[in-house]
């Protein structure tokens, strides 16, 4: 029973959040139709907003399972959003613009990998450096006196620009959400069925033992940083498309959100333990709470409420794990 609760508690937390928000009055500011959280349009809008974090959650989980962290994901996402918008507004078609942005993500992740793996800089310090570098690059790409890359003057965003992140739907749900689901499923398979997942857990559990057993831990960590970079770039595409502009600050705070959803999903901060799918569900919980609370509590209470929910979930997971270990 303890093992079942440990593995599936996150789903019960999501169910509880949905139930509470569904019975609450959510029409204070007209953000929810008829005050009903489970209205179809409301769910679609929440999934649109959630797409960037959902896209990033799985890759960030695997990186933390390996015992490493990336604090630059928000800035990488912002830089990707700006580059994607620049490409689009200058006439580059959709697929080439996305491809070039993902190539940028590969480069950004590789830079982090080099700093951490080859230069052996502590991950927190290395990614704080790139956090500053990537954010500075994003700001430099935006012209003086302009807050973001957007339609204006002689340059206009193409008609397709906000299709991916806002208008396109499949089976009634946003296309960007389905892409996030696809990315997550690929990473679930990678974690459960490939050497990458096994090696990531081994590296995070005991890097020295992993190296002695023949695992190329440095290559594993480098590849995971590249995967995070690609997912951050794809998240930037979703955010830029949703907002219909390239905002150099659009990824601010994403690194904290990524850490929160991964920890909420039960990933050990020290590495060695964690599941991609649980982090995906954790991201849904955070976004549901964030959007739902806009109409329930004052802004200055929202962070406190989210923190309390995270503390309760983390404490429950910890107690379940202790009982299982004692048994």
């Amino acid at each position: 029973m303890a093992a079942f609760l440990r593995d599936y508690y996150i789903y019960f937390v999501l169910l509880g959040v949905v139930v509470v928000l569904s019975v609450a009055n959510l029409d204070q500011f007209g953000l929810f139709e008829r005050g009903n959280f489970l209205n179809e349009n409301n769910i679609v809008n929440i999934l649109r907003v959630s797409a960037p974090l959902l896209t990033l959650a799985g890759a960030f989980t695997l990186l933390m399972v390996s015992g490493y962290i990336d604090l630059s994901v928000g800035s990488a996402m912002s830089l990707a959003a700006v580059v994607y918008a620049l490409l689009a507004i200058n006439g580059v078609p959709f697929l080439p613009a996305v491809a070039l942005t993902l190539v940028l993500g590969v480069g950004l992740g590789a830079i982090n990998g080099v700093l951490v793996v080859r230069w052996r800089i502590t991950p927190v310090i290395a990614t704080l450096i790139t956090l500053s570098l990537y954010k500075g690059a994003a700001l430099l790409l935006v012209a003086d006196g302009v807050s973001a890359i957007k339609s204006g003057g002689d340059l206009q965003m193409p008609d397709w620009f906000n299709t991916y992140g806002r208008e396109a739907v499949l089976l009634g749900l946003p296309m960007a959400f389905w892409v996030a689901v696809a990315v997550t499923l690929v990473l679930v398979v990678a974690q459960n069925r490939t050497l990458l997942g096994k090696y990531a857990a081994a590296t995070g559990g005991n890097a020295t033992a992993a190296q002695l057993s023949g695992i190329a831990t440095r290559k594993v960590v480098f590849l995971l940083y590249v995967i995070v970079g690609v997912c951050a770039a794809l998240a930037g595409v979703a955010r830029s498309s949703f907002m219909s502009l390239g905002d150099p600050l659009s990824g601010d705070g994403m690194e904290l959100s990524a850490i929160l959803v991964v920890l909420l999903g039960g990933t050990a901060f020290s590495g060695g333990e964690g599941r991609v799918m649980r982090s995906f569900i954790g991201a849904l919980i955070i976004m549901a709470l964030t959007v739902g609370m806009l109409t329930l509590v004052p802004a200055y209470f929202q962070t406190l409420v989210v923190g309390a929910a995270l503390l309760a979930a983390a404490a429950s997971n910890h107690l379940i794990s202790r009982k299982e270990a004692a048994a």
Side-chain angles (χ1 to χ4, degrees):
M1 184 62 178
F4 175 83
L5 291 177
R6 185 198 64 185
D7 291 337
Y8 296 100
Y9 78 95
I10 193 73
Y11 298 92
F12 294 110
V13 174
L14 176 61
L15 178 62
V17 168
V18 171
V19 169
V20 170
L21 293 177
S22 298
V23 300
N25 178 15
L26 294 173
D27 60 357
Q28 181 179 351
F29 300 111
L31 295 180
F32 293 87
E33 293 190 6
R34 299 185 300 277
N36 182 6
F37 178 78
L38 286 179
N39 179 276
E40 179 181 352
N41 290 332
N42 298 332
I43 299 300
V44 170
N45 288 332
I46 290 174
L47 293 179
R48 284 195 184 103
V49 176
S50 305
L53 184 57
L54 294 173
T55 302
L56 188 58
F60 206 89
T61 300
L62 287 179
L63 182 63
M64 287 192 63
V65 165
S66 73
Y68 290 78
I69 196 169
D70 183 356
L71 299 180
S72 71
V73 288
S75 296
M77 176 178 155
S78 297
L79 179 55
V82 170
V83 169
Y84 176 66
L86 274 173
L87 291 170
I89 206 170
N90 283 284
V92 179
F94 171 68
L95 289 179
V98 173
L100 289 171
T101 305
L102 295 184
V103 170
L104 170 67
V106 171
L108 299 180
I111 291 172
N112 284 332
V114 169
L115 292 179
V116 172
V117 173
R118 183 173 293 276
W119 291 10
R120 299 183 183 276
I121 300 176
T122 303
V124 171
I125 302 300
T127 55
L128 278 175
I129 292 171
T130 52
L131 180 155
S132 179
L133 289 174
Y134 299 163
K135 177 177 287 189
L139 291 169
L140 283 174
L141 289 175
V142 179
D144 291 339
V146 178
S147 60
I149 305 298
K150 56 185 177 181
S151 296
D154 296 332
L155 294 177
Q156 298 293 320
M157 284 296 182
D159 294 336
W160 53 260
F161 186 72
N162 61 359
T163 299
Y164 171 69
R166 179 178 292 273
E167 296 178 357
V169 295
L170 177 65
L171 301 178
L173 297 179
M175 183 62 69
F177 168 74
W178 286 118
V179 172
V181 170
V183 170
T184 301
L185 291 178
V186 168
L187 292 176
V188 167
V189 173
Q191 183 175 37
N192 296 330
R193 302 292 183 182
T194 72
L195 292 177
L196 178 64
K198 294 180 176 63
Y199 288 174
T203 300
N206 190 322
T208 301
Q211 289 174 346
L212 293 175
S213 66
I215 297 175
T217 57
R218 297 173 65 186
K219 292 182 179 179
V220 170
V221 173
F222 181 86
L223 179 58
L224 290 175
Y225 270 112
V226 170
I227 293 173
V228 170
V230 171
C231 289
L234 187 56
V237 170
R239 178 63 59 83
S240 182
S241 179
F242 175 77
M243 298 173 66
S244 297
L245 51 79
D247 185 355
L249 302 179
S250 59
D252 281 12
M254 182 59 72
E255 59 282 343
L256 177 58
S257 296
I259 293 171
L260 288 177
V261 301
V262 169
L263 293 181
L264 179 59
T267 299
F269 197 86
S270 57
E273 174 64 29
R275 310 304 301 174
V276 167
M277 186 54 70
R278 291 209 296 256
S279 296
F280 183 88
I281 300 301
L284 289 176
I285 292 171
I286 291 298
M287 294 309 301
L289 281 172
T290 300
V291 176
M293 285 191 307
L294 289 174
T295 62
L296 286 176
V297 297
Y300 47 83
F301 277 126
Q302 291 172 17
T303 302
L304 178 62
V305 174
V306 172
L310 287 169
L311 178 61
S316 299
N317 186 37
H318 177 67
L319 291 175
I320 291 169
S321 299
R322 284 186 60 185
K323 288 181 179 179
E324 186 181 49

